């Protein structure tokens, strides 16, 4: 499995697999601290999205979804002991693709679709052709 | 009154899955899964050509999808909906993969597909 992840994310240098494969939740749910649902602003019958937030695949919709959890835009992904941070990734056409959550030690955790969770030192380690790049950091006070 | 799709589903319930269909399904699942298992977007999962081809196999593939759903928790819900025209998932279970899976497996058992 490690080889597969390395092949999917060639920029990933230091990482650790931290869960078994689990198709019950995705990266957005994992960033939100939910391991029971598949979060996405798609068709309501197939995925969860916070009530009242527009269901469209836009960066704004993702920011609004996490605002319901108390997150607001942050200047950077730099570690700050007083804040919990998440990162929104998007493709070149600004369609969200992935989210990662900062761990208490400043490293990051990502759920890789229906695969495993990983801890990775550099948030940009999972950037690339499939996940695009980090476009927004959000934070909330711990 | 039954429509053509209901009739096709009923026919599948009373017959064995052909070996050739099983092989084709497994090859398509491998192609789809290896390309998309790390993605979170249902849009990306569903638009993959192999997933579209699996939907195109029609009701005959339902027993295979339902068995794979039970084993793997892969994102088969749009395919099941597209093939059957049904949605047995309660509104408050949307996105809850365990409950969605149970709802579809219950539908499959009720229709003698698994």
């Amino acid at each position: 499995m490690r080889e597969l992840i390395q092949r999917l994310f060639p920029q990933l240098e230091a990482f650790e697999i931290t869960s078994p494969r689990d198709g019950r939740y995705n990266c957005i749910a994992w960033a939100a601290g939910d391991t029971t649902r598949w979060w996405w602003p798609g068709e309501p019958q197939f995925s969860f999205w916070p009530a009242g937030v527009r269901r469209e695949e836009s960066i704004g919709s993702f920011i609004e979804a996490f605002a319901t959890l108390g997150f607001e835009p942050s200047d950077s992904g730099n570690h700050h002991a007083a804040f919990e941070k998440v990162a929104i990734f998007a493709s070149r056409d600004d369609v969200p693709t992935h989210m990662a959550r900062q761990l208490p030690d400043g490293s990051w955790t990502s759920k890789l679709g229906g695969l495993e969770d990983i801890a990775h030192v550099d948030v940009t380690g999972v950037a690339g052709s499939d996940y695009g790049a980090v476009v927004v950091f959000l934070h909330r006070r711990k | 009154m039954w429509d053509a799709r209901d009739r096709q589903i009923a026919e599948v319930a009373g017959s064995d899955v052909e070996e050739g269909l099983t092989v084709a399904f497994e090859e398509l699942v491998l192609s789809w899964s290896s390309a998309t298992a790390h993605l979170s977007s249902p849009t990306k999962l569903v638009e993959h050509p192999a997933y579209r081809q699996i939907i195109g196999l029609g009701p005959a593939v339902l027993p295979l999808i339902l068995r794979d759903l039970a084993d793997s928790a892969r994102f088969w819900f749009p395919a099941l909906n597209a093939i059957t025209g049904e949605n047995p998932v309660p509104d408050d279970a949307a996105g809850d993969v365990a409950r969605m899976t149970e709802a579809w497996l219950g539908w499959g058992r009720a229709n003698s597909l698994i």
Side-chain angles (χ1 to χ4, degrees):
Chain A
M1 181 45 60
R2 191 174 176 86
E3 293 74 19
L4 170 64
I5 293 172
Q6 193 74 69
R7 193 165 65 246
L8 290 167
F9 304 101
Q11 295 186 59
L12 202 51
E13 291 182 348
F15 75 97
E16 181 183 353
I17 298 172
T18 54
S19 81
R21 182 178 293 205
D22 194 329
R24 291 173 298 179
Y25 62 98
N26 65 351
C27 61
I28 315 303
W30 181 238
D34 182 354
T35 58
T36 66
R37 292 181 290 197
W38 198 277
W39 285 46
W40 199 261
E43 291 187 52
Q45 70 188 87
F46 303 132
S47 54
F48 170 79
W49 202 236
V53 180
R54 56 189 158 135
R55 279 185 174 264
E56 64 177 36
E57 292 183 339
S58 69
I59 296 165
S61 173
F62 278 63
I63 292 172
E64 289 171 23
F66 275 71
T68 69
L69 303 175
F71 284 92
E72 55 189 24
S74 177
D75 289 340
S76 77
N78 295 339
H79 184 235
H80 192 302
F83 289 97
E84 181 180 11
K85 296 193 175 187
V86 296
I88 301 173
F89 290 69
S91 56
R92 286 183 184 172
D93 53 356
D94 287 337
V95 175
T97 56
H98 177 67
M99 287 189 70
R101 172 164 46 88
Q102 195 170 45
L103 293 167
D105 67 357
S107 64
W108 294 81
T109 179
S110 285
K111 173 72 160 60
L112 306 176
L115 301 177
E116 291 83 354
D117 308 338
I118 63 167
H120 46 111
V121 173
D122 188 345
V123 68
T124 63
V126 293
S129 59
D130 286 333
Y131 287 0
V134 177
V135 291
V136 176
F137 288 104
L138 305 174
H139 68 196
R140 69 179 174 188
R141 193 167 285 280
K142 288 181 179 172
Chain B
M1 189 171 141
W2 282 20
D3 63 16
R5 182 155 53 186
D6 291 334
R7 197 172 301 114
Q8 285 178 309
I9 291 171
E11 287 171 3
V12 172
S15 59
D16 294 331
V17 178
E18 291 178 15
E19 188 178 339
L21 181 64
T22 301
V23 171
F25 175 76
E26 289 174 351
E27 288 176 352
L28 288 167
V29 170
L30 183 61
S31 173
W32 171 61
S33 183
S34 61
T36 66
H38 61 297
L39 304 180
S40 282
S41 164
T43 307
K44 294 287 186 191
L45 297 178
V46 171
E47 72 184 9
H48 190 274
Y51 198 87
R52 307 309 303 175
Q53 284 182 261
I54 290 168
I55 291 172
L57 294 173
V61 81
L62 286 170
L64 300 174
I65 291 179
L66 289 165
R67 277 179 226 155
D68 192 84
L69 176 66
D71 292 342
S72 73
R74 279 193 265 258
F75 207 81
W76 287 119
F77 312 110
L80 288 165
N81 174 254
I83 294 170
T84 67
E86 302 283 346
N87 178 24
V89 179
D91 288 346
D92 68 352
D96 184 330
V97 173
R99 290 182 64 198
M100 294 167 76
T101 298
E102 191 49 47
W104 272 109
L105 295 180
W107 180 91
R109 285 190 287 271
N111 285 277
S112 304
L113 293 167
I114 50 174

